[in-house]
Amino acid sequence: MVSPFPSLSEGRISWRPHHLCLLSPPTFPFCWLVCQCVDLYIMNCELLATCSALGYLEGDTYHKDPDCLESVKDLIRYLRHEDETRGVRQQLGAAQILQTDLLPILTQHHQDRPLFDAVIRLMVNLTQPALLCFGSVPKDPCPRHHFLQALDYLQAYKEAFASEKPFGVLSETLYELLQLGWEERQEEDNLLIERILLLVRNILHIPANLDREKSIDDGASVHDQLLWVIHLSGLDDLLLFLASSSAEQQWSLHVLEIISLMFRDQNPKLLAGVGQGHLAQERSTDVAELEVLRQREAAERKTRALQRGHRHSRFGGSYIIQGLKSIGDRDLIFHKGLHNLQNYSSDLGKQPQRVPKHRQAAQELSAQRRSALSVRLFLRDFCSEFLENCYNRLMGSVKGLLLRERAQQHDEVYYMWALAFFMAFNRAASFQPGLVSETLSVRTFHFIEQNLTTYYEMMLTDRKEATSWAHRTHLALKAYQELLAMVNEMDAAPDVAMRESSHIIKNNIFYVMEYRELFLTLFRKFDERHQPRSFLRDLVETTHLFLKMLERFCQSRGNLLVQNKQKKRKKKEKVLNQPVASDNAPCIPGGLEAVWPSLVEQLHCCVQDPELSLDSMVPFDAASEVPVEEQRAAAMVRVQDCLLAGQASQALTLLRSAREVWPEGDVFGSQDIPREEEIQLLKQILYTPLPRQPRVEEEEEEEQLQVVQVSEKEFNFLDYLKRFASSAVVRAYTLLLRTYPQNSPHTNHCVAKMLHRLAHDLNMEALLFQLSLFCLFNHLLSDPAAGAYKELVTFAKYILGKFFALAAVNPKVFVELLFWKNTAVVQEMAEGYGSLDGRSSHRPPVWSPEEEAQLQELYLTHKDVEGQDVADTIVAHLKAPRTRKQVICHLVRLGLADSVRDFQRKRTHIVLWTEDQELELQRLFEEFQDSDDVLGHVMKNITAKRSRARIVDKLLALGLVADRRELYKKRQKKLVPSNWPKGEETLRDFCQKDLPEEDLPEEEGEEDGGNREDAEAEQAQGHSARLAESLRHNLYLEGFSAPLLWLQNCLLRVADDREEDGCSSAVPLVPLTEENEEAMENEQFQQLLIKLGVWPPASGQETFWRIPAKLSPTQLRRVAASLSQAEEEKEPLPGLEPKVLGEQGLEEAHQTEHQAQALRALLLAHRKEAGLVFLEAPESGVPGIQKKKRFQMQDEDENNNGPEA
C-alpha cells in the first residue's frame, strides 16, 4: 500500500480542491459533524493519499503516476471492506474520482491492459445500484440519507458517461475481444467481456433525477444522451451480434438485461409508429387533448361569470338554509352569496384526514415518455433488426437457461419484459408472427401463468417485499396480455394456416381451468396498497380481451367442452401400531363350512382355465413405504379376503402372482404344485385366522386430504360471466373509473363494456347501485368535457334510469346505496326481500323465539360442565335438527358467546414441535449418533413422547439425516447352530416377520424385535435380486442376451474405473447399437435396470439411464455377476471368491435339500395329526427351506462385509 505522507508533502491535493468537501458534508447537522470529524479525517486522509497517487489532469491530458495501478487496487480493497453506511463509496463520489481520474485513465491509457482491467473492475464496483449496496430502501432517517446520497453520486456518474469517448473505448475493446476465437480466448478475456457488459448495465440502470433534469416529451434526457452515445460508438451493433451468435450464448442474459434497460422508458406502440405519416397522428392526439382542456377552461370561465353577483359584495347578506341543521338544533346560517351555495360542503375548513403509510395507494415505479426524435428513430431500427435476426434465438437460449436453473434469481422478469415489449412492437409495426414464433406457443402461456400465480401468492405471503412481488406480477400480466393480443390478431389474419394455429392455441387455453380462473383470482387479490393503478388498468384491458375472444370462440362453435376440477375432502385413516388378535377376521354368516363348497366348484373351473392371466393382480403395493419383502403377510390376508368375498378367480390369481414374487420357502406353494394341492392350500388359507391390523385413527386429529377430481363439462359463457358479478370486481372497476380523465379511450371502453355486461347481459343493474359509483356518475355528467366520454355518459344515464325505476317500487334501494352487494341481495332487491328463503337450500332456517329460548337454556345449563363439548351437547338436545356450525353462529349472534373460537375442540395430544423440543431432539441425535440403535435411544430419552414415524419425519425435516435408512438398527452377526442350513427360513419367521415390532412376544421383542425394521435395506436388496433373477431369465428367453452382456460389461468397467480413480460420479448408459437401443426401450429391461439400482433419466433434463455414484465397486461387480449367474454357473463371480464345491460338497448340498424336503413333509404330517392350522409357527430349531445357491452366496458376502463396513 502506498504511504500517504509523500503524497501530502508533495502538495498534490492542490490540484483537486474538491477533495476538501469531504470534511464538511453540507446536509449534516453541525453536532453530528463535531462528533464524527475525527474518524472522517483519519479515513479521508488515507483515501486522499490513495487518490492523489493516481495521477493528475493537465488540460486534456492525464498524467498517471507510477503507483497508479497499485492505487486503483487499494481503492478496490477499500470498497470491499466498507461498512453498512457505505462511507468509502460516498467519499469517492463526493471527490468525483470517476469523473476526474478514472474516465481519463480509461480513455487515454487503455493500451495498458493491467491498468485497464483494474479500472474497469473499480468502475463496476462504484456504479453498482444503490439498492444492491444497501439491500433495500432504508426506512430510518440516517441510513436513508446515506442511500439518497449514494443515489445522487450514481446519477452524477451517469451524466459523466454520456460522452462518446468512454463508450468508444469500451466498444473498441469489446470488438477486439469478440474477434478472438474460443481456442484463443483466455479466461481473463472472458472476465473482461463480462465486466464491460456489467459496467454498461450498471450505467443504464441508474434512475433519472426528475427534479434536476425536468425533461419533457421530445426532449433529450440524460438517458437519451446515453443511448445516442451507445449508437455512435457502435455498441448497439455488438449487442446485436452477441444476441444473434450461437457461440456467445453465455452472454444471453447480460444482453437481454441491457436491452431491457435501453427501452425502459419507451412505449412499443408509439415507437413502432415513428416515421413518415405518423407525426400527423401524434399531432392530432395532442390537439385532441388540448381541445378537452380548452373546453373545461371555457366552461369554468362561464360558470364563474354566472356566479358573479350584481351587487357589491358587502351587500351579500346572510341566509338560512332550511332543512340543514347546524351544530345545534337550529338551521344552518350561510354567510356567503347565493351563487356560492351549490359549492357548500360541511367539510369546508376541516383538516383532511391523514392516511397512514401502510394504507396509502402504491406509486408508479416508472413513467413512459417520448424521447427525442433521433433517439426514437435509432431505437425503432434497433427493434426491427433485433426482431429479424436475434429475437427467436435469444429468447430460446434464455428460456433454456431459466428451465435448467442456470440463471440468477428473478431473471425471468427480463424474459417476460422482452416478450411483452417486442411482441407489442411487432403487432404495431408489421405484424409478422414468424418473427416471434419462439414465444408464441401453449408452453409459453403455461410458463407465464405459472410465474404469475407464484408472484401473486408470494405477494400475499411475503408482506415485506410485497411491492417487489407486485411489480413482477405486473410484468407477467403484461406478457400474458401481449400473448392474447397476438393470438387475437392471428385469428383475423388472411392466412389460413395462421388462423388454424390461433384456433389450436385458443382451444388449449380455453379448455384448461387455470387460464379461465386467473383473472377472477387477480381481481379478488387486488390490493391498491401494493399494486399501482397501471396494474389495474392492464388487468381490466386483458380481461376485456380474454372475454371478447372467449365469447367469439363460443359463438363460432355449437358447444364447447372445458376442463373442470373439483376439490373433495376425505378423511385419511391411519393405522395404529397395535397388535391385533386373530379373532378380528371378518365374520361370515353360516360359518366357513357353508362358503367352501361353492368356492370349490369355482376353483375347479378356474384351475382348468388356461387363459387365467397373472398380470391383472399385483400382490404388493409398490408405492408403500413398507418393503416388498415385508408385504407377504398382507398378500396372504388379501387372498383370504378374496375367498371370503366369493371371488375364487381373483384369489387363485393373487396366489399364483404371490408365488412368483415370493418363491422362497414355498409359502404360497411350489412352482410345480398339483391342482388338487393348490385347492387344498386355498382351503387352509380360508380356515386360518390370520393376524390383521384394523383401520383405526392414530392419536392425532383426522387429516383431511383434498382430492382433485378432473372432469369435463359443457361451457356456458353467461355462467362464466356470473363469476365476475361480485363486489370485489365492481369495486376494482369503480376505482379505475375515478381516473377517467387520465385514462385512454380504450381503457374507458373496457370499463364501460364490463359494467354493461354485468348490468344488461346478466340483468343485475342493482349490483351497480352504490353511492361511490353514483357520485362518480354525478361528476361525469357535470363535467364540461363530457362530450369526449359519450359512452360513459350513456351508460351512467342507463344505470340512473334503472335505479329510479326500481326506487318507485322499492324505496329501500336508497339505503342499499350505502353497501356493496352480492347476487343474492340484488335478486331480493328486484323480486322482494325474503323471496329466496324458500328456494335457497343453502340458507339455514330461521330460529323461532321458542327455539332461541331453548338454545339459551341449554347453553346456560351445560356451559360450565367439564369433560363435554357444549356445542355437541346442545345439538343432541335440540328439538329441531341443527348443525354444530348453526348453533355456534347463533350463540355468537345472541351475544351468549364472544367468538366462534371459544367452541373449538381441544386437542389432547402434541402436534406441533416447539423450538425447545427441536433442540432436545437435535441434542439426543448427536449424543446417540454412533450407537447401534439411534432411533431407539432417542425415543427412550425424549421428553415429549411421540411416535416413531413423527420422530423420523422431524429428523429428516431438520436435515440431521438424508435418508430414513440411516436410522435403521445396525446389523449384527447372530450365532447360528451348526446343524442349521444357511439361508433357511421357518414358517414362524414368515408369520411374525411382517408384523410390527410390538406384535412379537415380549421375550423376542427384547432380543430382536426391531431386527426386521432395522434390516429393511438388506431384505429389500435380497428381494430386488430375486426379482432381477426372474426378469433376467425372461429377457434371455426373449433374445436379449447381447444387451445383457453389454450391460454387464458396462457395470464391470465402471467398477474398475471407480477403484482406480478413488472417486465416483453418475455414469450414463449410452447404447451405441440398434439392438441395445431396443433393449433400453423394452419395459422388462427397464424393470431389470430399476431392480439393479440404475437410475432412470430425469424428466425433461436427461436422456440416458445412469449408474448412480453411491454404488461401490464391490456392489457393481455383484450386480454384474447376477446377470450371468444362470448362464455361467461354474464360473466364479467377479469380485467375490466363493468356495468351490467339489463332489463331496455337491453330495452334501443334495443331502441337505432332501433333508429339508423330508422335514417339511414331516411338519405337515404332524400338523394334520394335531389339527393345527396352516402357517402356524413351528418349534424353534426346525429348519425351513434352503435358499437358492446364489442368494446363499450373497448372504455370505453380506455377513462377511456388512458389520465391518
Side-chain angles (χ1 to χ4, degrees):
M1 178 178 173
V2 182
S3 175
F5 298 104
S7 301
L8 292 177
S9 61
E10 294 175 5
R12 289 177 182 163
I13 192 172
S14 60
W15 288 318
R16 48 185 86 251
H18 49 268
H19 287 169
L20 299 177
C21 69
L22 294 173
L23 301 178
S24 58
T27 56
F28 285 8
F30 179 75
C31 59
W32 184 93
L33 179 60
V34 172
C35 296
Q36 301 291 333
C37 65
V38 178
D39 295 337
L40 280 179
Y41 177 77
I42 297 175
M43 196 171 194
N44 289 337
C45 180
E46 297 179 357
L47 284 178
L48 286 174
T50 306
C51 295
S52 299
L54 292 174
Y56 61 94
L57 186 65
E58 186 176 4
D60 295 336
T61 305
Y62 190 87
H63 301 277
K64 65 174 184 176
D65 278 4
D67 297 331
C68 182
L69 179 59
E70 296 299 328
S71 300
V72 172
K73 292 181 180 179
D74 287 340
L75 291 177
I76 295 174
R77 192 178 301 111
Y78 289 150
L79 288 172
R80 187 184 306 155
H81 298 289
E82 63 180 350
D83 56 3
E84 65 276 1
T85 61
R86 302 296 182 260
V88 177
R89 192 176 305 271
Q90 293 187 48
Q91 296 179 49
L92 292 178
Q96 300 182 5
I97 294 299
L98 187 138
Q99 295 93 321
T100 59
D101 291 288
L102 298 183
L103 282 179
I105 293 175
L106 179 72
T107 56
Q108 300 181 21
H109 300 280
H110 58 273
Q111 296 86 3
D112 189 354
R113 180 63 181 272
L115 180 60
F116 182 81
D117 292 349
V119 169
I120 292 294
R121 285 182 57 193
L122 181 57
M123 283 184 171
V124 170
N125 198 336
L126 283 175
T127 58
Q128 65 181 352
L131 200 62
L132 188 62
C133 296
F134 290 85
S136 60
V137 180
K139 296 182 179 179
D140 295 336
C142 188
R144 189 178 182 85
H145 171 79
H146 295 316
F147 176 82
L148 296 177
Q149 194 71 29
L151 191 60
D152 288 340
Y153 295 142
L154 287 175
Q155 292 167 352
Y157 295 160
K158 187 173 184 178
E159 294 181 5
F161 263 97
S163 176
E164 188 176 353
K165 290 182 180 181
F167 275 97
V169 173
L170 294 177
S171 178
E172 183 180 353
T173 306
L174 185 59
Y175 176 77
E176 293 175 357
L177 294 174
L178 294 178
Q179 289 295 320
L180 300 176
W182 281 103
E183 63 280 358
E184 302 175 358
R185 194 179 298 176
Q186 303 297 325
E187 184 65 26
E188 293 80 5
D189 299 332
N190 288 329
L191 286 176
L192 184 55
I193 292 175
E194 185 175 8
R195 285 168 183 162
I196 291 176
L197 294 176
L198 288 176
L199 179 60
V200 177
R201 188 276 311 268
N202 291 345
I203 296 299
L204 290 172
H205 187 273
I206 299 172
N209 191 342
L210 301 179
D211 296 335
R212 184 186 304 172
E213 295 182 13
K214 297 181 180 179
S215 58
I216 59 174
D217 286 344
D218 299 324
S221 62
V222 176
H223 193 76
D224 294 340
Q225 298 174 17
L226 204 62
L227 294 178
W228 187 249
V229 167
I230 289 176
H231 173 57
L232 294 179
S233 64
L235 188 60
D236 55 338
D237 297 330
L238 294 178
L239 293 176
L240 291 174
F241 169 75
L242 291 174
S244 60
S245 175
S246 58
E248 308 290 347
Q249 290 188 2
Q250 59 177 329
W251 318 116
S252 298
L253 281 169
H254 291 290
V255 173
L256 188 61
E257 189 174 359
I258 291 174
I259 293 175
S260 67
L261 293 173
M262 288 173 59
F263 293 89
R264 179 174 54 190
D265 301 333
Q266 304 298 323
N267 189 332
K269 297 179 180 179
L270 297 179
L271 197 62
V274 176
Q276 298 180 356
H278 294 282
L279 292 177
Q281 182 179 359
E282 295 179 4
R283 192 178 297 109
S284 63
T285 304
D286 295 340
V287 168
E289 294 178 357
L290 290 175
E291 182 63 24
V292 171
L293 295 177
R294 192 191 64 80
Q295 291 179 2
R296 287 180 178 170
E297 185 179 1
E300 291 176 0
R301 190 184 301 112
K302 183 179 179 180
T303 303
R304 286 197 300 268
L306 293 176
Q307 290 177 357
R308 190 176 296 114
H310 299 285
R311 297 195 305 172
H312 197 270
S313 59
R314 61 175 174 266
F315 301 109
S318 299
Y319 304 91
I320 296 177
I321 304 177
Q322 295 182 356
L324 184 61
K325 299 297 182 180
S326 62
I327 298 177
D329 295 334
R330 299 180 180 180
D331 294 334
L332 180 67
I333 300 176
F334 187 68
H335 296 282
K336 295 183 179 181
L338 291 177
H339 56 277
N340 294 320
L341 181 60
Q342 60 180 358
N343 297 327
Y344 174 77
S345 174
S346 300
D347 297 331
L348 292 175
K350 293 182 180 179
Q351 186 71 20
Q353 187 177 3
R354 179 180 174 272
V355 180
K357 283 187 177 181
H358 65 279
R359 293 184 181 179
Q360 292 179 0
Q363 301 294 327
E364 299 290 343
L365 295 179
S366 61
Q368 295 180 348
R369 56 176 298 274
R370 284 206 310 263
S371 302
L373 180 60
S374 57
V375 176
R376 283 187 288 160
L377 290 173
F378 147 63
L379 294 178
R380 183 203 61 183
D381 297 338
F382 183 90
C383 286
S384 301
E385 192 171 354
F386 180 81
L387 281 173
E388 292 177 2
N389 303 318
C390 311
Y391 180 83
N392 287 330
R393 198 214 62 79
L394 181 64
M395 297 297 282
S397 176
V398 172
K399 181 71 172 295
L401 293 175
L402 293 175
L403 294 179
R404 292 193 297 270
E405 297 182 354
R406 293 186 178 180
Q408 295 182 359
Q409 192 178 15
H410 307 314
D411 274 350
E412 69 275 0
V413 296
Y414 298 109
Y415 176 84
M416 290 184 288
W417 175 90
L419 187 149
F421 186 88
F422 289 105
M423 275 192 156
F425 181 86
N426 185 26
R427 281 194 307 110
S430 58
F431 184 63
Q432 300 181 27
L435 300 180
V436 292
S437 59
E438 176 65 31
T439 55
L440 195 59
S441 62
V442 180
R443 292 184 179 181
T444 309
F445 273 96
H446 177 66
F447 178 78
I448 300 298
E449 187 271 336
Q450 274 191 328
N451 283 280
L452 186 57
T453 305
T454 304
Y455 291 156
Y456 79 73
E457 288 178 352
M458 290 302 299
M459 186 186 66
L460 299 177
T461 55
D462 190 3
R463 289 294 183 182
K464 293 184 178 180
E465 299 294 332
T467 304
S468 301
W469 290 113
H471 179 61
R472 299 184 188 107
T473 307
H474 192 187
L475 288 176
L477 180 64
K478 287 290 293 182
Y480 196 81
Q481 179 184 9
E482 289 303 326
L483 283 173
L484 288 175
M486 182 63 71
V487 174
N488 187 43
E489 292 286 342
M490 290 172 59
D491 200 22
D495 190 2
V496 179
M498 196 177 298
R499 292 200 303 269
E500 185 65 25
S501 300
S502 68
H503 181 79
I504 294 173
I505 294 176
K506 288 193 298 182
N507 201 4
N508 283 276
I509 295 172
F510 297 149
Y511 176 79
V512 180
M513 181 180 178
E514 284 75 11
Y515 296 121
R516 303 192 307 271
E517 298 292 326
L518 179 62
F519 302 102
L520 290 165
T521 307
L522 291 177
F523 273 117
R524 294 194 192 104
K525 305 299 182 183
F526 175 74
D527 188 357
E528 60 176 335
R529 298 173 300 173
H530 305 300
Q531 295 169 311
R533 198 67 57 89
S534 58
F535 173 83
L536 183 59
R537 181 186 66 245
D538 291 330
L539 178 59
V540 167
E541 293 179 359
T542 310
T543 305
H544 171 77
L545 178 59
F546 185 82
L547 289 176
K548 183 173 69 173
M549 294 172 60
L550 182 58
E551 184 179 19
R552 190 186 306 139
F553 191 76
C554 293
Q555 292 175 356
S556 62
R557 299 167 60 103
N559 55 347
L560 176 64
L561 292 178
V562 296
Q563 186 186 69
N564 184 36
K565 294 182 180 180
Q566 292 181 348
K567 291 183 180 180
K568 291 188 176 181
R569 294 180 178 270
K570 71 173 184 179
K571 296 178 182 178
K572 179 182 178 183
E573 296 178 347
K574 297 187 177 180
V575 178
L576 183 65
N577 294 330
Q578 295 293 337
V580 181
S582 59
D583 56 0
N584 286 337
C587 298
I588 304 298
L592 299 175
E593 292 78 5
V595 179
W596 178 246
S598 59
L599 289 174
V600 172
E601 299 178 0
Q602 300 180 29
L603 288 173
H604 278 292
C605 298
C606 295
V607 167
Q608 298 175 1
D609 187 7
E611 298 181 355
L612 190 64
S613 175
L614 300 181
D615 299 334
S616 59
M617 301 293 291
V618 180
F620 61 91
D621 185 6
S624 175
E625 294 184 359
V626 181
V628 179
E629 186 69 19
E630 298 184 6
Q631 297 187 30
R632 293 184 299 176
M636 188 69 70
V637 173
R638 289 179 59 192
V639 174
Q640 188 184 61
D641 290 340
C642 292
L643 293 173
L644 293 173
Q647 302 172 352
S649 60
Q650 287 85 342
L652 182 60
T653 304
L654 187 59
L655 179 69
R656 293 179 177 179
S657 301
R659 187 184 306 150
E660 294 289 336
V661 177
W662 297 287
E664 65 276 2
D666 292 345
V667 176
F668 295 95
S670 59
Q671 297 291 339
D672 53 351
I673 184 173
R675 296 177 179 176
E676 295 297 331
E677 293 186 10
E678 193 172 28
I679 295 178
Q680 291 299 322
L681 179 60
L682 289 172
K683 181 178 180 181
Q684 292 177 357
I685 294 176
L686 177 64
Y687 282 86
T688 302
L690 297 177
R692 293 171 177 266
Q693 293 182 351
R695 305 292 294 179
V696 297
E697 296 176 357
E698 208 179 7
E699 297 176 350
E700 299 179 355
E701 189 181 5
E702 299 175 347
E703 285 191 41
Q704 290 187 349
L705 299 180
Q706 286 189 354
V707 180
V708 180
Q709 294 183 351
V710 182
S711 60
E712 287 186 345
K713 69 174 184 179
E714 187 173 352
F715 182 76
N716 190 334
F717 180 76
L718 289 180
D719 291 342
Y720 175 70
L721 192 60
K722 288 179 183 178
R723 304 283 304 279
F724 290 89
S726 64
S727 59
V729 177
V730 177
R731 190 182 294 113
Y733 275 87
T734 304
L735 182 63
L736 183 60
L737 193 60
R738 291 178 184 174
T739 57
Y740 73 91
Q742 291 80 30
N743 296 341
S744 65
H746 178 66
T747 303
N748 290 332
H749 167 72
C750 294
V751 174
K753 181 62 178 178
M754 186 64 186
L755 297 180
H756 182 265
R757 288 180 186 274
L758 298 178
H760 181 266
D761 298 350
L762 299 180
N763 295 323
M764 293 186 180
E765 298 89 354
L767 189 65
L768 306 181
F769 295 167
Q770 219 283 330
L771 190 59
S772 59
L773 186 59
F774 277 22
C775 292
L776 186 59
F777 286 163
N778 181 38
H779 184 268
L780 174 65
L781 295 176
S782 60
D783 192 349
Y789 315 105
K790 294 181 180 179
E791 188 176 16
L792 293 178
V793 171
T794 305
F795 177 73
K797 292 180 178 179
Y798 168 77
I799 294 298
L800 292 174
K802 292 291 184 180
F803 171 78
F804 290 116
L806 182 61
V809 181
N810 182 14
K812 296 181 181 179
V813 294
F814 291 100
V815 182
E816 296 286 358
L817 284 174
L818 304 175
F819 308 99
W820 296 99
K821 294 164 279 296
N822 54 22
T823 55
V825 176
V826 167
Q827 194 168 356
E828 284 189 335
M829 288 172 61
E831 300 179 3
Y833 295 100
S835 59
L836 299 179
D837 293 344
R839 282 184 281 172
S840 178
S841 59
H842 301 285
R843 289 196 173 189
V846 182
W847 290 75
S848 62
E850 294 79 7
E851 292 173 346
E852 289 183 351
Q854 184 188 11
L855 175 65
Q856 185 174 1
E857 181 182 356
L858 290 173
Y859 176 74
L860 296 176
T861 304
H862 298 281
K863 70 174 183 177
D864 297 328
V865 180
E866 297 182 358
Q868 68 177 6
D869 187 84
V870 182
D872 292 340
T873 306
I874 294 176
V875 170
H877 289 80
L878 281 176
K879 297 179 181 179
R882 300 284 183 177
T883 63
R884 173 187 172 88
K885 183 177 180 180
Q886 293 173 0
V887 169
I888 293 175
C889 292
H890 205 68
L891 286 173
V892 175
R893 192 178 296 112
L894 291 176
L896 299 176
D898 296 332
S899 174
V900 179
R901 298 179 181 178
D902 299 340
F903 298 93
Q904 291 182 352
R905 292 189 175 96
K906 297 182 180 179
R907 296 183 178 181
T908 58
H909 303 284
I910 301 175
V911 177
L912 300 177
W913 290 77
T914 63
E915 185 176 357
D916 296 337
Q917 292 171 355
E918 291 180 355
L919 294 175
E920 181 188 10
L921 177 63
Q922 186 175 359
R923 180 183 57 79
L924 291 175
F925 175 79
E926 294 174 354
E927 180 180 353
F928 301 106
Q929 189 173 6
D930 299 330
S931 63
D932 294 339
D933 188 9
V934 182
L935 193 59
H937 288 90
V938 171
M939 293 181 63
K940 186 181 299 183
N941 293 277
I942 196 168
T943 304
K945 300 300 180 182
R946 298 178 186 270
S947 63
R948 178 186 297 265
R950 294 295 167 267
I951 295 179
V952 172
D953 293 340
K954 194 62 182 178
L955 289 173
L956 291 172
L958 293 175
L960 298 178
V961 293
D963 189 2
R964 61 179 67 245
R965 295 187 179 183
E966 299 179 14
L967 300 173
Y968 294 153
K969 189 175 181 180
K970 292 183 174 61
R971 184 178 181 185
Q972 300 178 354
K973 285 187 176 181
K974 289 187 178 182
L975 297 177
V976 183
S978 58
N979 59 350
W980 194 310
K982 192 160 192 172
E984 294 181 351
E985 184 180 19
T986 62
L987 295 176
R988 177 186 178 89
D989 295 333
F990 165 74
C991 286
Q992 293 185 347
K993 181 161 71 170
D994 297 333
L995 292 177
E997 189 174 332
E998 293 80 4
D999 293 353
L1000 295 176
E1002 294 181 359
E1003 59 271 10
E1004 291 184 12
E1006 295 176 358
E1007 181 180 356
D1008 58 351
N1011 207 24
R1012 290 177 314 281
E1013 187 174 358
D1014 300 329
E1016 185 176 337
E1018 288 82 355
Q1019 293 178 358
Q1021 183 179 358
H1023 176 66
S1024 300
R1026 288 188 285 276
L1027 288 182
E1029 173 72 19
S1030 176
L1031 292 171
R1032 184 202 56 76
H1033 181 67
N1034 295 336
L1035 290 172
Y1036 265 116
L1037 295 179
E1038 294 182 7
F1040 288 100
S1041 57
L1044 289 173
L1045 181 60
W1046 164 74
L1047 178 60
Q1048 183 184 18
N1049 294 333
C1050 291
L1051 294 172
L1052 294 176
R1053 188 161 54 249
V1054 173
D1056 295 338
D1057 294 339
R1058 291 183 179 179
E1059 275 189 348
E1060 294 177 1
D1061 300 338
C1063 58
S1064 59
S1065 60
V1067 179
L1069 290 174
V1070 183
L1072 300 178
T1073 62
E1074 185 177 356
E1075 185 177 8
N1076 293 341
E1077 287 184 2
E1078 293 179 357
M1080 295 297 289
E1081 297 176 358
N1082 184 274
E1083 184 177 356
Q1084 287 191 357
F1085 198 88
Q1086 293 179 354
Q1087 293 179 2
L1088 176 63
L1089 292 176
I1090 295 176
K1091 297 303 177 186
L1092 296 180
V1094 182
W1095 287 348
S1099 58
Q1101 299 182 5
E1102 298 177 354
T1103 307
F1104 303 107
W1105 291 67
R1106 296 178 182 269
I1107 302 174
K1110 64 181 181 180
L1111 293 180
S1112 63
T1114 304
Q1115 293 173 333
L1116 289 173
R1117 290 193 178 96
R1118 187 182 306 161
V1119 172
S1122 65
L1123 297 176
S1124 59
Q1125 181 75 18
E1127 189 174 355
E1128 302 172 358
E1129 290 181 355
K1130 298 182 180 180
E1131 295 183 11
L1133 295 177
L1136 299 175
E1137 296 181 359
K1139 186 176 181 181
V1140 180
L1141 297 176
E1143 294 181 358
Q1144 184 177 359
L1146 293 175
E1147 291 178 1
E1148 291 179 359
H1150 288 300
Q1151 184 178 0
T1152 304
E1153 184 176 0
H1154 289 307
Q1155 181 183 3
Q1157 293 178 359
L1159 288 173
R1160 180 172 42 179
L1162 181 62
L1163 176 62
L1164 292 175
H1166 282 304
R1167 290 178 58 235
K1168 288 181 180 180
E1169 292 176 1
L1172 298 177
V1173 294
F1174 182 68
L1175 294 180
E1176 187 175 359
E1179 295 294 332
S1180 175
V1182 179
I1185 308 302
Q1186 186 178 7
K1187 289 186 178 180
K1188 293 185 179 179
K1189 196 179 300 179
R1190 179 170 66 86
F1191 302 117
Q1192 181 179 350
M1193 297 172 66
Q1194 287 183 356
D1195 291 342
E1196 290 177 359
D1197 183 78
E1198 291 176 0
N1199 291 332
N1200 292 334
N1201 301 329
E1204 290 78 14

